[in-house]
Amino acid sequence: MRLYLKTIFLIIFYSVNASIADSGDSYSDKYSGKYEQISIAVDKKGRVTGFHKEQLGDNFSCYFGFSGDLKDGQAIISVDDEGYEGRLHFEGDSLVLAIPEAQDLPGCGMVLIPEIAEGVKYGPKEATNWIE
């Protein structure tokens, strides 16, 4: 009986996830993914959540999260817990991220290039499987 219930649960679980994956969620399908040092997820309403993770050698690392709302392929973003704002937009299969104060983030001054203030292009988007 226990194995039977577990099997039923797994069938329902995978069926629901498969139907969600096939729901035609254009924002998520088009923009969610990994763009070099940036991982980003976009829900069906255009809510963007992501993080940047980069390391220079063994001594310096830059990690920060961000979130915002995507509209027409662009978003004003807030950097988590820091009060900094930035923007991102998409160019083909790449993402452009601009955060004027990004080099002031903990650890980022030695890792990020100064051009991050105006916008740095990351990409192309790597293939990802968000369901498994």
Side-chain angles (χ1 to χ4, degrees):
M1 178 70 171
R2 188 173 183 170
L3 179 60
Y4 175 76
L5 289 175
K6 182 178 179 181
T7 303
I8 296 289
F9 172 77
L10 289 174
I11 290 170
I12 292 170
F13 176 78
Y14 287 115
S15 297
V16 169
N17 279 334
S19 64
I20 289 170
D22 294 335
S23 67
D25 182 357
S26 62
Y27 275 129
S28 181
D29 293 343
K30 187 171 183 179
Y31 299 118
S32 295
K34 183 164 175 48
Y35 301 82
E36 296 180 37
Q37 296 91 346
I38 297 174
S39 294
I40 188 169
V42 183
D43 71 13
K44 64 183 175 182
K45 294 181 181 178
R47 183 73 180 155
V48 176
T49 305
F51 66 89
H52 176 281
K53 181 179 181 183
E54 189 170 354
Q55 188 161 343
L56 181 62
D58 292 332
N59 297 321
F60 302 105
S61 62
C62 174
Y63 178 87
F64 60 87
F66 57 86
S67 61
D69 292 305
L70 189 66
K71 184 175 181 183
D72 299 325
Q74 301 181 45
I76 301 297
I77 58 168
S78 296
V79 177
D80 296 346
D81 301 326
E82 298 297 331
Y84 297 141
E85 281 197 352
R87 65 188 186 286
L88 65 83
H89 69 273
F90 295 89
E91 291 182 3
D93 61 353
S94 297
L95 173 142
V96 178
L97 179 68
I99 302 172
E101 297 91 0
Q103 288 192 302
D104 296 335
L105 293 165
C108 295
M110 298 297 288
V111 177
L112 294 176
I113 58 175
E115 289 81 3
I116 191 73
E118 297 298 319
V120 173
K121 190 173 189 175
Y122 295 90
K125 180 176 143 180
E126 296 176 26
T128 55
N129 186 342
W130 293 96
I131 301 301
E132 292 180 6

